[in-house]
Amino acid sequence: MDSDEQVKVSTLEAYADTILPGEKRFPGDHAIAGAAEGPGAVVAGALELLHTDATGVTVGLPYLAQSLNEHAKGYAKEHDLALDESLPPFVALSFADRTALVRSLTAPGHPEKDGWVSLALFCNMSFDSAAHKHTAEAIAEGHPGLLAMGYTAPDEDGLWRFPKFSYRRELARLHPDTTPSGSPA
Amino acid sequence: MNAYDKTDVVIVGSGFGGSIPAYHLAAGGAKVTVLERGPWLETKDFEHDYLLGSSYTRAFDFVVGDGMSVLGGNCVGGGSVVYFAAMPRAPKFVFERHGSIGRRMWPSAITRDSLEPWYDRVSESLPVSKQDWNDVSYAGGLWASFCDHSGRTANPAPVAVDNDRCVNCNFMMAGCRFDAKRSLLTNYLPAALAHGAKIRPLHEVQRIERIDGGDYRVHFNVVDDEDYRLQSGSGTIDAKIVIIAAGAGATPVILQRSEAALGTMPHGVGRYFSGNGERLNTAIINEERVREVLGLSREDGKVYEANHIGKGPTVANWDKLDGSLPEYERYSLEQLYFPPGLGTILAQVPDGAGSDKDVPRWFGVEKKEILKKWASWLTIFLMTEDDNEGVFGTPPPTGNAYRISQQMLGRGPLKYDPTPNTRHGWALADAECKEILEKDGLAKVAPWTNDVVGAYTVHPLASCRIGDDPETSALHPNHELRDHPGIFVTDSASVPGALTVNPAMTIAALAERSVPGIVRALQARGVDVTYGAPAPDGSITGRRAVSKLSLVSGT
């Protein structure tokens, strides 16, 4: 087994990859399951965001990783799965099993739901808004999430402007009871 | 305590409920201090940036409750800095609602007709204007076209946006860098400052106590400018009148925390919370079908692919705002832009877009696939009639939430368990969305999930509501807290229930309406103050309208 730090990082990467999966970074990449094409949350910077103090979750990460591995052990036992002992238990689960476990941890009524949802929120944010980077810089650097979603680059001053924004056509009848103020009657 | 920290009026919060009385009372001659728990951001501070710590996270709060999460403003200007500036007036039937109490929720003195002059005042002051089809974003135009194709109507929404200045950046939730959005920073607040009102940012009110002579002492903590979890001091300020306008998610919490000192609160404090019946649906647009069936295309040859271009909501469907329909079956469907980050995670993979029941819909492989189509999302905002079922539990030690992140994210004491009435309204609105959006294969749509952070509102209301009945309202119809003379609540907490439309216009109109009564209360306490100021820019048409109501005091 790797060092505590490596176990933590690998486990959290596997969680982030379950939320927004990606392709493996290298042959033998265990943390990323390789369930989807293109970069996922890990390559988008999930660990970097989780280690940003502003999130408020950073100090809890070792506990969350440890807890996730405990849950994974319990899941494996319950489903009679043999886990590769050279890997952290959550990392050793298949993508389908990681997904099933995360579904149960984040389901309404689970006593630890808040913590796992917070972790999922930040993993998602690393991909869809790169909250650990200035947005304009992230796009300039080719941030995989923002590019995948179709963000365009801002103007030179870092601000977005869209001079063309409207079909400029009347597209529907107005409601017959619209008042002179433009409100419903 | 500093002996000199004494004023005529302390106002807690600087959103619509705080800024409007701040202006009128200062203009009338009262000494006014506004305590705002958030930072004071200016135009140059409003960034186009999702980085944690940018204006996007400094200016608003996302509080997760049990069954409901609430998004609210947290800066000088409050909700007006982060809102999308849609300003419709509430339909007439709303004021006749019974909700879950079996009798009219609103005070008998308030109808749409009686509120109209106050709406006019707000409309003149911000100002609010109608939009035409040239102002409507691609997303709004697309929604209008969907409505028309399915035999429905659609209206460009009235807005408080200067369209000549607007660059359609869709960063409104991080404040407006171009001063196109008529937030309170551009009208009531500068006018209040010009008349001597004091605004103290990063002052989070803890509690209120009554002191000798009937005045009130307001206790506050000073919040760190960067890490809102930290507090760098505390203090007090005394006043003859206290106006609480901290937002429907915080106003009742302050009153609950004050109960030990002030005495028993009315039953309605911290109860009857409404999420304005809100709910979001995300449609994934089939671009080619839209070209073929609706005949839409952009100047650059694309069909739509413009989720990120625009200015919040621009077009609404009001066909179900029909007073003859039963309660809980009336709702509006409004096109809305919702920025990525906290919102995007709640978008679910629609049925038939490759999903099956054994895979998760808010995360995972298929969620990533719909994120890649983000530019082709069309978000529809449902505003229905909910059942005022939210209840606030034990207040946290400070603020209205246990703060998790340095900014933005916290866990609050609100509990919300939607009743069958509320669920019925949501289901009907969801079904209507599906019928409109999926007709002829134009899109695939799914409602956002409530399973992750509960239901979700950007327009919290009614946690401290006005009414005629002491059993079900916390405030007299003049916004004074029952059994606690001299404390007024003028914000969204005072609105009795869901409005079926965006509520800012109604919140602002109620705040305008509350001012003459507060002036009278100040006069009764010996303060030399009058009522009758013009709109912040000097316009007087709206003042003439309310003068006719014989509500003007001290003139």
Side-chain angles (χ1 to χ4, degrees), chain B residues 12-13 35 37 203-209 218-219 242-247 249-260 262 265 269 392 395-396 398-400 487 491:
Chain B
V12 184
L35 303 178
R37 71 173 178 171
H203 280 55
E204 185 169 75
V205 168
Q206 275 289 94
R207 62 188 177 88
I208 299 158
E209 66 173 322
V218 179
H219 295 253
V242 178
I243 298 173
I244 307 179
T251 284
V253 181
I254 292 168
L255 289 172
Q256 287 174 321
R257 207 184 278 122
S258 304
E259 191 160 28
L262 288 179
M265 283 295 133
V269 170
F392 284 80
T398 64
N400 68 320
I487 296 179
D491 61 0

Side-chain angles (χ1 to χ4, degrees), chain B residues 61-243:
Chain B
D61 258 6
F62 180 75
V63 177
V64 179
D66 180 3
M68 171 67 81
S69 293
V70 176
L71 196 62
N74 183 62
C75 57
V76 172
S80 80
V81 176
V82 300
Y83 83 147
F84 289 151
M87 295 294 271
R89 303 175 187 209
K92 278 189 176 176
F93 68 80
V94 158
F95 300 92
E96 308 303 323
R97 284 196 61 199
H98 283 209
S100 58
I101 61 176
R103 52 167 290 184
R104 196 174 187 270
M105 293 161 65
W106 283 78
S108 58
I110 302 180
T111 61
R112 164 72 179 266
D113 287 345
S114 74
L115 206 54
E116 208 76 77
W118 304 105
Y119 278 131
D120 287 344
R121 286 217 69 159
V122 178
S123 189
E124 180 179 58
S125 297
L126 290 178
V128 177
S129 57
K130 286 199 288 186
Q131 299 194 99
D132 67 26
W133 292 103
N134 289 322
D135 303 316
V136 162
S137 65
Y138 294 122
L142 179 61
W143 175 234
S145 197
F146 268 102
C147 290
D148 185 65
H149 180 66
S150 60
R152 290 157 172 91
T153 68
N155 282 52
V159 294
V161 174
D162 180 344
N163 282 318
D164 291 335
R165 290 185 176 203
C166 180
V167 301
N168 291 282
C169 68
N170 251 339
F171 260 97
M172 288 173 98
M173 221 168 105
C176 183
R177 178 63 168 255
F178 301 95
D179 277 340
K181 178 165 72 175
R182 271 83 172 243
S183 78
L184 296 162
L185 297 172
T186 68
N187 38 66
Y188 285 96
L189 278 168
L193 288 167
H195 285 284
K198 310 288 184 206
I199 300 175
R200 299 168 77 173
L202 300 166
H203 280 55
E204 185 169 75
V205 168
Q206 275 289 94
R207 62 188 177 88
I208 299 158
E209 66 173 322
R210 194 151 194 190
I211 55 177
D212 292 343
D215 289 356
Y216 290 99
R217 179 160 296 157
V218 179
H219 295 253
F220 56 80
N221 291 339
V222 180
V223 178
D224 183 80
D225 186 38
E226 184 181 349
D227 187 344
Y228 299 163
R229 296 171 300 187
L230 307 176
Q231 285 152 9
S232 57
S234 61
T236 65
I237 181 167
D238 295 351
K240 295 187 178 304
I241 295 277
V242 178
I243 298 173

Side-chain angles (χ1 to χ4, degrees), chain B residues 401-525:
Chain B
Y402 293 90
R403 288 193 182 276
I404 297 168
S405 302
Q406 281 186 4
Q407 298 161 7
M408 191 176 65
L409 184 62
R411 187 73 164 82
L414 176 61
K415 184 171 171 55
Y416 190 85
D417 184 9
T419 68
N421 286 333
T422 300
R423 291 179 187 278
H424 175 65
W426 285 345
L428 288 177
D430 284 348
E432 178 86 348
C433 265
K434 194 172 177 71
E435 189 177 316
I436 295 171
L437 288 160
E438 296 196 344
K439 184 177 167 70
D440 295 326
L442 290 165
K444 283 288 178 188
V445 64
W448 283 21
T449 178
N450 286 354
D451 288 349
V452 181
V453 292
Y456 189 101
T457 183
V458 294
H459 295 136
L461 300 172
S463 52
C464 198
R465 61 190 188 179
I466 52 172
D468 290 326
D469 178 4
E471 296 301 314
T472 57
S473 64
L475 309 175
H476 292 286
N478 70 349
H479 294 254
E480 195 165 27
L481 185 66
R482 293 181 181 281
D483 307 322
H484 299 276
I487 296 179
F488 291 81
V489 173
T490 53
D491 61 0
S492 55
S494 70
V495 177
L499 299 174
T500 66
V501 293
N502 319 66
M505 189 65 170
T506 301
I507 297 164
L510 287 175
E512 281 279 3
R513 178 185 170 275
S514 75
V515 176
I518 298 172
V519 167
R520 281 193 289 271
L522 277 165
Q523 289 169 337
R525 286 163 173 76

Side-chain angles (χ1 to χ4, degrees), chain A residues 45-94:
Chain A
L47 270 285
E48 200 179 336
L49 178 57
L50 290 172
H51 283 95
T52 302
D53 284 341
T55 61
V57 301
T58 307
V59 294
L61 293 176
Y63 168 76
L64 284 169
Q66 187 184 352
S67 173
L68 192 57
N69 282 321
E70 291 300 321
H71 283 297
K73 274 193 248 177
Y75 179 92
K77 191 172 177 186
E78 187 184 335
H79 292 83
D80 202 19
L81 302 173
L83 297 180
D84 180 345
E85 292 188 1
S86 69
L87 298 172
F90 185 75
V91 178
L93 291 176
S94 70

Side-chain angles (χ1 to χ4, degrees), chain B residues 21-57:
Chain B
Y23 164 61
H24 286 293
L25 299 177
K31 292 197 288 278
V32 174
T33 296
V34 180
L35 303 178
E36 165 57 52
R37 71 173 178 171
W40 195 339
L41 304 175
E42 300 175 29
T43 305
K44 64 178 172 50
D45 300 318
F46 297 132
E47 297 158 286
H48 289 184
D49 204 336
Y50 299 123
L51 177 73
L52 295 182
S54 66
S55 62
Y56 179 61
T57 59

